[in-house]
Every structure is written in C-alpha cells, then in structure tokens.
Amino acid sequence: MRALRTGSKELIKEINRFKVLNIIRHQQPVSRSEIAKQCDLGVSTLSYIIEELKTQRLIYEVGEATSTGGRKAKLLRFNKDHGYIISVKIEEEQILTALTNMEGEILCKRYALFSKKDSPENVTDMIESEIHQIFTQEKKDLSFLLGIGILSSGLVNRHDGTIIRSSMLGWENVPITRMVKESFPEVQVFVDNNINGYTLAELEKGEGKSSQNFLVVSIGAGVGLSVVIDRKIYYGSVGGAGEFGHTTLVPNGYPCHCGQNGCLEMYASEFYFKNKAEDQVSSYSSSKLTDFHFSEVARAAEEGNEFAMNLMKEMGSYLGYGLRNLINTFNPDKIIIVGEGVKYSHLFNHEVNLIANDNFFEKVDIKTELVFSGLNDDAWFTGGALLAINQIFQEPIYEPIKAGL
Amino acid sequence: MRALRTGSKELIKEINRFKVLNIIRHQQPVSRSEIAKQCDLGVSTLSYIIEELKTQRLIYEVGEATSTGGRKAKLLRFNKDHGYIISVKIEEEQILTALTNMEGEILCKRYALFSKKDSPENVTDMIESEIHQIFTQEKKDLSFLLGIGILSSGLVNRHDGTIIRSSMLGWENVPITRMVKESFPEVQVFVDNNINGYTLAELEKGEGKSSQNFLVVSIGAGVGLSVVIDRKIYYGSVGGAGEFGHTTLVPNGYPCHCGQNGCLEMYASEFYFKNKAEDQVSSYSSSKLTDFHFSEVARAAEEGNEFAMNLMKEMGSYLGYGLRNLINTFNPDKIIIVGEGVKYSHLFNHEVNLIANDNFFEKVDIKTELVFSGLNDDAWFTGGALLAINQIFQEPIYEPIKAGL
DNA sequence: ACTTACTTTTTTCACTGAACGAATTAAGTA
DNA sequence: TACTTAATTCGTTCAGTGAAAAAAGTAAGT
C-alpha cells in the first residue's frame, strides 16, 4: 500500500491544480465557474489557479459559451501541444514508434526491423535513434519530449521498469526503462505489457469509457488478460498482470509451451488449431488445410471447409468456458475481447456467447456484457502514450514511487 | 473511481491527524519525534496535533522511552477504549454478537437463535436487542458505540449495505445496514460477506501482515474467495467479491445448486463427498460411511477407511487445480486457506501442494506461498469489528461515499 | 558531588501562503 | 433600468513551518 503524502500547503496546491487540469482535459471546453462548481473551489481560487496554468502554457482560453442570462463565460481548453509523447511497441522482429501529443493523438509513425540475434542493447539503441529521427523529421525540439511509453509482450514489472521474461523476444530481466532513460535523462519512461497498454486505450477511447470494472481478453497467438478495477489496471505481485492464458482448462490436456498441460491458451487461441489437427490426423488430412494461422483457418471456414469451421466453433466453446470462469471470478461489468481473433469473431461468436452467458451472475439476474473491441491497431500507440500521459497528470496524493524512473 | 477531495486547510488537517493516529495505532508506543520523522511533519506541528488528539481522548501519554543520549521521549498510545464496536455474524440459524474495543479485541460474546421462518425484520430486531443487552450487561453507555460491522454469507453489496442474495438464509435484497441503523442512528453500520471479514482479520492479525497481495480461500460447506490487492480487498462490480466457487472445473460435471454444472464448489468442498458417493454406489456402500460432513469423512479417513481417504485425496487434487488457476490468474504472494477444511488439512495437504505448486509462475521461479490459516473462530468477530474500525480510521482522501450509511 | 558541554525532546511564536468570501467590476439579457 | 452571470480584487483565516527557547537528559572533567 503506497503511503499517503503528508498534508501541507504544497500538497493542496498540487492536488487542486491537477484536479482542475484533469477536469479541463476530460471535459474541454469548460468555463471557470463550471470547474469551480465541480471542484468545490472558490471562484477566486480558481481564477488564480487558471492564471498559473495559463502561464505554464498547459491550458489556453478560447471562445465564449453562449450566455445563460448574464455575462458569457470564457472557455478553457487543454493545450495538447504543450509537450509530446513517444509510444513504442516492441514486436517480435520490429519496433513500432509513434509520436503523439499530450492527448495521445498520433502525429507520426515509424517502424524499424531487428533480428532475433539483436541484444536488448541493440534494440534500445534503435529506439533512441528512431526517436531522434522522428523529432528531426517533425521539426520539433527534443526538449518538448515529456514521456516515453513502451509496450512489450511477456511478464513486465512496471514498478521497476523491467521486462522480467519475454519468450517471444527471448529476453530476461531487461531493465528497459533505465536503458532508455540513459539517452533521455530528462524524460519519464514507462513500460508495461502490451495488453495492459491496449486496455488503457479502451479505458480512455473505447468501451471502457462507460465501465468501472471490466476485463480485456486478447485472442490471437495466445490468450492475454488485463483486469480493470475501479478504472485502474490491476497489477499482481510481481507487477505484471496474471497469466490467465495458463490456467488449466483441461486437466492433463494438450502440453503447453509454458511447461504445464491443458492451459487455456492451448484451447482458446490459434494454438488449438494445430493441437486438434495433430490429434485427428485423418480428418485433418482430408481437410486440405495448409497452415494453422488464424487467417488461414478462418479463410477455409468461410469457404465452407467443415474441419476448419469446427475448429473455429470448438475454439469458441473453450473460450466461452474461459470467459465464464472470468465472469464468475471477477464479476466484471463487461468483457472486451481484443486481438487478431476479433476479425474472425463471426465464426465462433455464437459458441462463445452460448457458454459464457451461462454463468453464475446471470442466474442472479446480473448481466455481464460481452463485446468485441472497436478500436484499430493504432490503439497500441494510444495505449503506450497513455501509459506516460496518465502518470504525468496523476493526482499527486501518494508518496512518489520509483516507477517511471 | 472515487473522486479525490479538493485541497483545503481542513483536508490537510484531517489527513495529517489520521496519518498520526494510524501511526500511533499500528506502532504504539511511539514518541512524538518518531512520528514526526515518519510523517515528515515539523515537530511543532506534531505537538499541536498530539495536543488535539489528547483532548479528544483518542490517545494518551504513558511512560517514557529510554534516553538515547538526551531528554527521554514521552511515549504515546492509542486509547483503545475511546469507543466500542459491535461485530455481528449472521449464521444459518443464529446470530453471534461480540463487543470489541477500538483495536478489535473481543470484550464479550453472545449468541441468539432464530428459525428459518424468521424474517429479516425479526433478525434485525434480535440484533438490536442483543446489542442493548450487551451494553447493559457490560455496564457501558450506548453513546460509546461507534460502529457496527455485520458479516453475512452470500452476495453482499457493501457499498449500499444490502444483502443481495443469501441462499443459506433465503434472503434477497435486504437493506441490512439501513435497517440496523434505524435503531442506532448515530452509529456507522457496515456489512460484508463473511469471508471478506475473515480476510480483514488475516490482514491485521494473521498471515496478511507480511503480504501486499494475497488470496483467502475458504474450504468447508462450499468454496469462497477473497482477493487482497495492495492490502485492500477487491470488490467486483456489484460490490461483492466474485463467486470463485462457481467457476467451471469439469465441463458437464456434477450439477451444482447454483444451476451450473461442474462448479469447483462441487469438487473442492464437502459437496464432493456426497457427489462422488452417489456416483460410485458400490464402493460407497461397502465403506460404511454414514454421512458426508467434513468431520465424519475425516474421522473415517483417519481410522483408515479407504473410501474416505480417497475422497479426501481427490478433493485435495481438485482444490489443487482451483488454487493453481488462482495463482496463474492473480499471481498473488500467498494463498491462505481457511474454513472448516483446515482442521483436516493433513488428509489432503499433499495433493493440494502437488498440483497447486505446479503453476506458471513456479516455472519462472516466482514462488507462491500456500498456508493454512492460524487464526481461530474469534477471527470472525475481529474481522467484523475491523470492517467498522478500518472505515472509521480511514484517511479521508476521497469524497465521502454513501457506504456505511 | 558539582560543573560544564553536549544531546535529544518538546514548546513557543512570528511567519508563510493557499483557500476563502464579500465586494467590486465586467458583460451580458429582458 | 433591473436583473443575471462571470471574473477579479483584496483583506482574512488558519494549518504548517522553522528558528529559538525551554526542558530534561547524558557524559565526561575536576
């Protein structure tokens, strides 16, 4: 439990400035009196705070509201170009880098390839070089870079900023934020697991806007889970989320790359296709399926290939069991399904709903919404940027921690 | 997400008073200068705060520390008799009531029986009467009653203080805190699920003292789960915890009283004994087992009854799978097993550990501790009292909510 | 045993500054 | 002209602050 900061004049000043700033950020354009009402601050105090924020160029005044019977209110807006954020996604053999403004709007994107042989140091150097190129290309001064958010697969400890283990990258205990910070000592650097990043995007720009407690489940080359409680992402002991993909669905089932057997990931993701085919060689061989990527199996299923259609449906049923267990365990308002699988959801949607909706809370008349994400691939960039932005504008109630070091 | 309070002189005053008070509560006896150091408050401010807390009789001065080379420090203690708390546990056919001081120490206990026919109103009246009897019996003035904590089984919404549904009691949507508060309008009243109550006791007096993130799993006439994140209990959407006992362990397995099939609760609790026996009538009938309560099956197993021993071991294996899935999903520091089953843990401990320890995080060399609760039945009372005490001494950072109304 | 020098604890007191609220000014509507 | 709403000005309030003083010790030296 993080310790609360001790009360002092500075604390109340900081709290109030951030409260005001966040109201402007999320409800712009707003008038002074509207903010004062919501904050329960005196209008005089508010004017003083606004003055300060304006001289810091964090906000600006623009236009006027229509009169409600008296003097028109001047409207305030957040200056989203007050600074810039770099969002980095580390994929299997490339890094994707984007420049965003302080609202997480993407201004420019780049990518750079690397090979499995490259060390974390090499990749960090590439990140540095990409950032420099973006800033020269966009003709912006590096002093405006306020934060860097990095998304990676695998087990990530966001508190100390290390990638604990990523089997995809073959990395272990890489202190990524510290390494990046060496090149940008003035900038706050954050890492997180990529699905948590996506979840941040859902929270601010997607399905999460209307929900306090929800889960994000990713279906693709594996199964991922991100848990949102009270609009905050839950981080387990080591700082990463859990490994829901490796809960046991079928005792003594298909062997998993993690060393266990019968993991959900082996049944409710791309892996299932290959597992099942190796299990039923005869029906497989007559099916003319050539590979087991989501896209291929989906194409075959759409063309009426019986074996592929069944693969999809069975995968959907297993996913349904996974989701049902999540619902019964977490009692979320909503589950958002994301990832490559969403593109092909029409092929297994029915089975998922059939099983997942048959849950404990349904029987007590508490509904759990099941939706597919409506965001596109830019959500990764948005999420990475939000990782930094949310920290920068966080209300400063707690003692500073060493995160984002 | 609860809104943060706006900064003001009153806020900083309240924050600091509660910070000081909580340091004294948890580290007593302490000196002024020690507190000042921890709070980062000026010693002068601290003396002023201490003076106030003393006149409010929340703390008192007692004794002196040994000198460390200069003037001896006067030591401060929390006045645990500053007020009293009532802790109520509603069981199937009785209510248990205890009086505690402000540290949750039990001063006196009572119980009163009721029948299934009694309405929630009758039971509430009984609670009122029990409280009055305790206060006259203990010769204390009712004005010292500061809080009431109620524990009930079933789905509880602690935010609005209702028992949403308890199949054991046959109650639905009972606004229990409001009903109790009618008799004690000056007193703060709180409800929670009984396992969450137990968890509070573990947090303050048990295994939880050394752990930030842990799970409490109860094994007895059912399976319960309580989730602690960052030393705070996680409450799902409706305000109750999830229903982990009703996650599907065996698709299309034994039918459960909740309407689903193959629930964990049917395999990792007392229920399993009956289920399995009905499945295997022949081996059962030769086993001479007469009933399927935990105590009976355990007794038989201890006497060497093969069928009973196997029941226990199998139950343990299923529980192991349940715990493994919890570990993989939540990545806790520790799982604490509580409830009636703990008494007989030697009969299934081995199987539980065998399966639960074979988890994802173990393979990445992150250990999850598995322990049996060391608290006794008084922990229910302690937990109920802490429900109220923790709220009363909470640092007042957030806008007040309607809880504990 | 007494003095002196040094520590640590606690209190006193003038000062600071963030929020506050009443009064004032500004800008509108009917 | 009367009323409404918005924004600013300015003296007041009070929680926290830090330096200094007071209180209460310890540890030598004589």
Side-chain angles (χ1 to χ4, degrees):
Chain A
M1 193 163 49
R2 287 172 64 188
L4 213 62
R5 283 179 60 187
T6 299
S8 67
K9 282 195 275 278
E10 294 74 56
L11 178 68
I12 79 178
K13 186 173 181 176
E14 282 180 49
I15 287 180
N16 289 344
R17 265 142 197 77
F18 275 94
K19 267 195 110 165
V20 170
L21 192 53
N22 283 333
I23 287 178
I24 297 175
R25 283 209 306 141
H26 290 114
Q27 302 175 33
Q28 57 180 320
V30 268
S31 68
R32 286 165 171 75
S33 50
E34 175 60 27
I35 300 171
K37 211 183 299 166
Q38 281 188 42
C39 281
D40 196 32
L41 275 169
V43 274
S44 52
T45 309
L46 204 114
S47 266
Y48 183 61
I49 293 174
I50 293 292
E51 199 49 45
E52 259 190 32
L53 294 177
K54 271 165 72 177
T55 58
Q56 289 174 58
R57 304 223 175 286
L58 278 162
I59 59 170
Y60 59 96
E61 222 165 54
V62 62
E64 294 177 326
T66 52
S67 166
T68 57
R71 177 174 171 178
K72 284 186 258 178
K74 291 178 214 158
L75 294 176
L76 300 164
R77 278 195 163 278
F78 174 61
N79 178 14
K80 60 189 179 186
D81 294 309
H82 162 250
Y84 300 99
I85 299 292
I86 286 287
S87 178
V88 180
K89 185 172 184 230
I90 306 177
E91 296 198 337
E92 195 162 3
E93 293 186 311
Q94 63 178 345
I95 56 169
L96 304 171
T97 314
L99 180 75
T100 80
N101 62 23
M102 297 306 283
E103 275 179 359
E105 292 167 351
I106 297 161
L107 303 178
C108 117
K109 301 183 234 181
R110 286 180 62 90
Y111 71 97
L113 301 173
F114 63 89
S115 86
K116 289 257 177 199
K117 277 166 271 166
D118 282 314
S119 69
E121 284 74 22
N122 295 149
V123 175
T124 310
D125 289 345
M126 276 179 61
I127 292 175
E128 184 193 344
S129 140
E130 288 288 291
I131 295 175
H132 279 119
Q133 291 196 47
I134 282 183
F135 272 81
T136 48
Q137 175 186 317
E138 295 285 310
K139 297 188 178 55
K140 305 221 183 286
D141 193 292
L142 258 177
S143 65
F144 283 95
L145 177 57
L146 299 185
I148 299 174
I150 301 169
L151 298 182
S152 159
S153 72
L155 207 56
V156 176
N157 185 338
R158 74 189 311 253
H159 296 306
D160 62 11
T162 58
I163 297 172
I164 298 176
R165 181 166 177 260
S166 168
S167 52
M168 195 190 74
L169 295 166
W171 289 5
E172 262 184 47
N173 295 314
V174 176
I176 185 86
T177 61
R178 212 185 57 215
M179 290 163 73
V180 171
K181 209 173 158 61
E182 265 167 31
S183 316
F184 304 97
E186 303 292 305
V187 182
Q188 292 188 279
V189 186
F190 307 90
V191 222
D192 209 332
N193 178 281
N194 45 26
I195 179 164
N196 283 334
Y198 198 100
T199 300
L200 287 175
E202 285 287 353
L203 256 170
E204 303 271 338
K205 321 265 177 186
E207 289 286 341
K209 281 193 285 193
S210 59
S211 202
Q212 298 281 313
N213 302 287
F214 62 90
L215 307 178
V216 175
V217 175
S218 73
I219 311 297
V223 174
L225 169 70
S226 180
V227 180
V228 173
I229 297 166
D230 239 19
R231 295 196 64 76
K232 286 189 291 285
I233 293 179
Y234 158 60
Y235 292 93
S237 266
V238 288
E243 285 289 339
F244 178 64
H246 299 284
T247 54
T248 306
L249 186 67
V250 179
N252 304 313
Y254 295 134
C256 178
H257 52 86
C258 77
Q260 302 182 100
N261 283 76
C263 291
L264 179 65
E265 181 152 311
M266 290 297 106
Y267 292 85
S269 80
E270 217 173 57
F271 286 108
Y272 178 69
F273 307 143
K274 201 174 179 198
N275 286 329
K276 183 65 185 280
E278 285 171 358
D279 231 30
Q280 301 197 341
V281 186
S282 60
S283 18
Y284 159 54
S285 49
S286 63
S287 75
K288 297 177 197 147
L289 258 183
T290 51
D291 85 359
F292 297 105
H293 284 104
F294 234 123
S295 51
E296 281 309 299
V297 179
R299 200 185 42 73
E302 277 165 354
E303 285 168 1
N305 181 324
E306 195 106 353
F307 184 70
M309 284 167 73
N310 283 334
L311 282 185
M312 280 289 177
K313 284 181 186 169
E314 288 159 22
M315 194 277 288
S317 300
Y318 285 119
L319 177 58
Y321 280 111
L323 298 187
R324 181 202 282 178
N325 283 347
L326 282 178
I327 293 169
N328 289 345
T329 306
F330 287 96
N331 175 217
D333 299 327
K334 189 185 272 190
I335 295 185
I336 305 171
I337 300 167
V338 312
E340 205 198 344
V342 173
K343 275 187 267 184
Y344 316 112
S345 60
H346 55 285
L347 296 167
F348 57 83
N349 192 4
H350 180 71
E351 284 70 23
V352 171
N353 274 282
L354 202 69
I355 293 177
N357 285 335
D358 178 23
N359 59 59
F360 177 86
F361 290 98
E362 186 79 13
K363 300 204 164 28
V364 208
D365 220 36
I366 295 171
K367 304 285 174 200
T368 312
E369 239 185 292
L370 229 64
V371 297
F372 290 91
S373 173
L375 302 178
N376 61 25
D377 275 351
D378 278 351
W380 300 109
F381 289 129
T382 314
L386 286 171
L387 197 60
I389 296 173
N390 287 351
Q391 291 286 329
I392 290 171
F393 292 118
Q394 205 187 81
E395 281 147 340
I397 325 310
Y398 294 100
E399 296 287 1
I401 43 168
K402 307 120 286 287
L405 197 224
Chain B
M1 192 162 48
R2 287 171 64 189
L4 213 63
R5 283 179 60 186
T6 299
S8 67
K9 283 194 278 276
E10 294 73 54
L11 179 68
I12 79 178
K13 188 173 179 176
E14 283 180 49
I15 287 179
N16 289 345
R17 266 140 197 77
F18 275 93
K19 268 195 109 165
V20 170
L21 192 53
N22 282 332
I23 287 178
I24 297 176
R25 283 210 304 142
H26 291 114
Q27 302 175 35
Q28 58 180 315
V30 267
S31 68
R32 286 165 172 75
S33 48
E34 174 60 26
I35 300 171
K37 210 182 299 166
Q38 282 187 42
C39 280
D40 195 31
L41 276 169
V43 274
S44 52
T45 309
L46 204 114
S47 265
Y48 182 62
I49 293 175
I50 293 294
E51 199 49 44
E52 258 191 33
L53 293 176
K54 271 165 72 178
T55 58
Q56 290 174 57
R57 306 222 174 285
L58 278 161
I59 59 170
Y60 59 96
E61 221 165 56
V62 62
E64 293 175 328
T66 51
S67 167
T68 57
R71 177 174 171 176
K72 285 187 256 177
K74 292 177 213 157
L75 294 176
L76 300 165
R77 277 195 163 278
F78 174 61
N79 178 14
K80 60 189 180 186
D81 293 308
H82 162 250
Y84 299 99
I85 300 291
I86 286 287
S87 178
V88 180
K89 186 173 183 230
I90 306 177
E91 296 198 338
E92 195 163 3
E93 292 186 312
Q94 64 178 345
I95 55 169
L96 303 172
T97 313
L99 180 75
T100 80
N101 62 22
M102 297 306 283
E103 275 179 0
E105 292 169 350
I106 297 162
L107 304 178
C108 115
K109 303 183 232 181
R110 285 180 62 92
Y111 69 98
L113 302 174
F114 62 90
S115 85
K116 289 257 177 197
K117 277 167 271 167
D118 282 313
S119 68
E121 285 74 22
N122 294 148
V123 175
T124 310
D125 289 345
M126 277 179 61
I127 293 175
E128 185 194 342
S129 138
E130 289 287 292
I131 294 175
H132 279 119
Q133 289 196 49
I134 282 182
F135 272 81
T136 48
Q137 175 186 318
E138 295 287 310
K139 296 189 179 53
K140 304 222 183 284
D141 194 290
L142 258 177
S143 64
F144 283 95
L145 176 57
L146 299 186
I148 300 174
I150 302 170
L151 298 182
S152 159
S153 73
L155 207 56
V156 175
N157 186 337
R158 76 191 309 254
H159 295 306
D160 61 12
T162 58
I163 297 172
I164 298 176
R165 181 164 176 262
S166 167
S167 53
M168 195 190 75
L169 295 165
W171 290 5
E172 262 185 49
N173 293 315
V174 176
I176 185 86
T177 61
R178 213 185 56 216
M179 290 163 73
V180 171
K181 209 175 158 61
E182 265 167 30
S183 316
F184 304 98
E186 303 292 305
V187 181
Q188 292 188 279
V189 186
F190 306 90
V191 221
D192 209 331
N193 177 281
N194 45 26
I195 178 164
N196 283 334
Y198 198 100
T199 299
L200 287 174
E202 285 287 355
L203 256 170
E204 303 271 338
K205 321 266 177 186
E207 289 286 340
K209 280 193 284 191
S210 59
S211 202
Q212 298 281 313
N213 301 288
F214 62 90
L215 307 178
V216 175
V217 175
S218 73
I219 311 296
V223 174
L225 169 69
S226 181
V227 180
V228 173
I229 298 167
D230 238 20
R231 295 195 65 75
K232 287 189 290 286
I233 293 179
Y234 158 59
Y235 292 93
S237 266
V238 289
E243 285 290 338
F244 178 64
H246 299 282
T247 53
T248 306
L249 186 67
V250 179
N252 304 313
Y254 295 135
C256 177
H257 52 87
C258 77
Q260 303 181 101
N261 282 77
C263 291
L264 179 65
E265 180 152 313
M266 291 297 105
Y267 293 84
S269 80
E270 215 173 58
F271 285 108
Y272 178 68
F273 307 144
K274 202 174 178 198
N275 286 329
K276 183 65 186 280
E278 284 172 357
D279 230 29
Q280 300 199 341
V281 187
S282 60
S283 19
Y284 159 53
S285 48
S286 62
S287 77
K288 295 180 199 145
L289 258 184
T290 51
D291 84 0
F292 297 104
H293 284 104
F294 233 123
S295 51
E296 281 309 300
V297 179
R299 200 187 40 73
E302 277 165 354
E303 286 169 0
N305 180 322
E306 195 106 354
F307 183 71
M309 284 167 74
N310 283 334
L311 281 184
M312 280 288 178
K313 284 181 186 171
E314 288 159 20
M315 195 276 288
S317 299
Y318 285 119
L319 176 58
Y321 279 111
L323 298 187
R324 180 203 284 178
N325 283 346
L326 283 178
I327 292 169
N328 288 346
T329 306
F330 287 95
N331 174 219
D333 299 327
K334 188 186 273 190
I335 295 184
I336 305 170
I337 300 167
V338 312
E340 205 197 344
V342 174
K343 275 185 268 184
Y344 316 112
S345 60
H346 55 286
L347 297 167
F348 55 84
N349 192 4
H350 180 71
E351 283 70 24
V352 171
N353 273 283
L354 202 67
I355 294 177
N357 284 336
D358 178 23
N359 59 60
F360 177 87
F361 290 97
E362 186 78 14
K363 299 203 164 30
V364 207
D365 221 37
I366 296 171
K367 306 283 175 201
T368 313
E369 239 185 295
L370 230 64
V371 297
F372 290 91
S373 174
L375 303 178
N376 61 24
D377 275 350
D378 278 351
W380 300 110
F381 289 129
T382 312
L386 285 171
L387 196 60
I389 295 172
N390 286 350
Q391 290 287 329
I392 290 172
F393 292 118
Q394 204 187 78
E395 281 147 339
I397 324 310
Y398 294 100
E399 296 287 0
I401 43 169
K402 308 118 286 287
L405 193 222

